[in-house]
Amino acid sequence: MRLRTALCSAVSTLSALALLSACSSGSTSASAGGAPLVGVDYPRSDTDFWNSYIKYTPEYGKKLGLSLKTTNSQNDVAKLTANAQTFISQGVKGIAMAPQDTAAIAPTLAQLEAKKIPVVTVDTRPDTGNVYMVVRADNRAYGEKACQYLGTKLDGKGKVVMLEGGLDSINGRDRTEAFNDCMKKNYPGIKVFGEATNWDGAVAAQKLQTDLTAHPDIKGVYMEASFALSGTLQVLKQKGLLVDPKDKKHVFVVSNDGIPEELKSIAAGKIDATVSQPADLYAKYALFYLKAAIDGKTFKPGKTDHDSTIIKVRDGVLEDQLSAPLVTSDGGTYGGVPSVKSDDKSLWGNNLG
């Protein structure tokens, strides 16, 4: 009888410990409803594009049944590394991040891989290291589309300024190299002034002003992202060049992102085109692939069911290249590149609440 009582007591104690363990585990790895816990590091919150991404992320997290922990690395790879350690300590089952320095993130990726925590990178692709999936658009196509638009508008001759992003980022390199390659091949009569800005709007504005002072006959500007929009418009206004597209003094401006302010500026004739980078789909498919990783699913190169193509970048890295259309006021075709009108309701920039 005593043995039976002791055994029952032991079982009761073990059950209580098991329950306590489950409760402790549930508080870090899943929500009360059993939703898998994932970490999302926002790369920055000082641009309209990334603030839109930040807005969409919890919406899609809820739709996909995920519980989120979020951090913001503020364009600092050291902070991103520290944030990843925080996620590990919180017991996340996967991490979405957008490393702006695509070389320096390698050690962190190696650590997460060793711990079997899947990673999805958004907008950028790491130079080395393995991730479950890269979610971005074809950034070389961004540069090519901007080139074809400006080349067509300038009839293949004249001068343009390219306000480059950060060349420590695969995006900056892809857009810059593609724009230059396209110009050399298709529009050799156009001279390109490449200006490094490190995604800094103030730097971009200062360099554009210097170029316009030295070369007042510049007729085109390619901004590799909307970070340069406000400064570019201000400089053009100061120079008396912010005029109607039909005016001979008009400087043709192409941007990348597709934020609402760009779409409004196209409609108003202040800028002429952009490439709509899908902030909404970046959030949706970053979380979609994290959930797929947690569920043990795998993917292969090829067409998807959401108007994109998965490509194999290298062993251990697949990239889902989402659609990013050229946007113009008239929806015309430029250098063989079709565009959509700036008021098209399919553009995420026209659907923000």
Side-chain angles (χ1 to χ4, degrees):
M1 186 71 177
R2 291 177 180 175
L3 176 61
R4 179 179 174 185
T5 301
L7 286 172
C8 290
S9 177
V11 168
S12 177
T13 301
L14 288 171
S15 298
L17 289 172
L19 179 59
L20 178 60
S21 174
C23 290
S24 298
S25 173
S27 67
T28 56
S29 63
S31 68
L37 181 68
V38 300
V40 179
D41 182 79
Y42 302 134
R44 57 199 301 170
S45 54
D46 58 350
T47 70
D48 289 344
F49 177 81
W50 284 114
N51 283 332
S52 298
Y53 171 77
I54 290 170
K55 173 185 176 294
Y56 284 118
T57 296
E59 294 179 13
Y60 283 111
K62 184 177 181 180
K63 289 178 181 179
L64 290 165
L66 296 172
S67 180
L68 305 184
K69 292 285 188 181
T70 62
T71 56
N72 191 319
S73 53
Q74 300 174 344
N75 202 26
D76 185 334
V77 72
K79 289 182 180 179
L80 175 53
T81 297
N83 292 343
Q85 305 310 311
T86 299
F87 287 146
I88 292 172
S89 70
Q90 292 171 333
V92 300
K93 300 301 184 182
I95 297 175
M97 62 173 69
Q100 301 299 284
D101 187 330
T102 52
I105 195 60
T108 300
L109 295 179
Q111 180 189 19
L112 293 170
E113 183 179 20
K115 291 182 176 295
K116 301 188 184 305
I117 298 175
V119 174
V120 173
T121 64
V122 182
D123 180 53
T124 63
R125 179 205 308 149
D127 295 354
T128 58
N130 296 336
V131 296
Y132 180 79
M133 184 67 74
V134 177
V135 175
R136 68 196 286 256
D138 182 351
N139 276 247
R140 285 194 63 86
Y142 289 14
E144 291 166 358
K145 290 174 181 179
C147 161
Q148 293 292 359
Y149 182 85
L150 288 174
T152 300
K153 284 294 187 179
L154 271 59
D155 293 323
K157 56 184 180 295
K159 299 174 182 178
V160 303
V161 176
M162 173 169 53
L163 299 174
E164 302 166 354
L167 298 185
D168 59 350
S169 160
I170 185 66
N171 290 354
R173 295 196 298 272
D174 276 357
R175 297 176 198 184
T176 297
E177 292 169 3
F179 187 82
N180 282 331
D181 290 347
C182 172
M183 282 294 184
K184 290 176 183 176
K185 178 181 177 181
N186 300 294
Y187 307 103
I190 293 180
K191 180 174 178 55
V192 178
F193 298 99
E195 299 290 4
T197 71
N198 196 33
W199 309 111
D200 188 313
V203 172
Q206 183 270 319
K207 290 191 173 183
L208 176 59
Q209 187 169 38
T210 298
D211 284 336
L212 284 170
T213 300
H215 306 276
D217 55 342
I218 284 171
K219 299 302 293 182
V221 178
Y222 171 37
M223 308 182 301
E224 289 191 2
S226 58
F227 74 93
L229 178 63
S230 177
T232 294
L233 293 179
Q234 184 177 7
V235 170
L236 292 177
K237 185 176 181 180
Q238 289 173 349
K239 296 285 186 180
L241 300 174
L242 193 61
V243 296
D244 188 86
K246 295 179 181 178
D247 191 308
K248 290 182 179 180
K249 293 193 299 182
H250 183 77
V251 175
F252 292 94
V253 179
V254 181
S255 188
N256 285 165
D257 274 346
I259 62 171
E261 194 59 34
E262 287 176 331
L263 303 183
K264 294 175 184 176
S265 293
I266 292 173
K270 294 179 179 179
I271 71 171
D272 303 274
T274 189
V275 177
S276 180
Q277 185 170 218
D280 55 341
L281 300 186
Y282 278 3
K284 177 179 181 178
Y285 287 103
L287 297 176
F288 167 84
Y289 283 116
L290 278 187
K291 188 172 188 299
I294 294 168
D295 293 341
K297 296 180 180 179
T298 58
F299 297 87
K300 296 180 180 179
K303 295 289 185 181
T304 71
D305 61 359
H306 49 270
D307 192 31
S308 68
T309 302
I310 295 176
I311 65 169
K312 181 179 179 180
V313 177
R314 57 179 181 269
D315 289 342
V317 179
L318 295 176
E319 177 173 306
D320 188 356
Q321 295 190 328
L322 303 177
S323 176
L326 178 67
V327 181
T328 63
S329 61
D330 61 2
T333 298
Y334 297 88
V337 178
S339 69
V340 299
K341 290 186 177 182
S342 59
D343 60 357
D344 194 302
K345 294 301 180 184
S346 68
L347 298 172
W348 68 267
N350 284 325
N351 294 304
L352 283 176

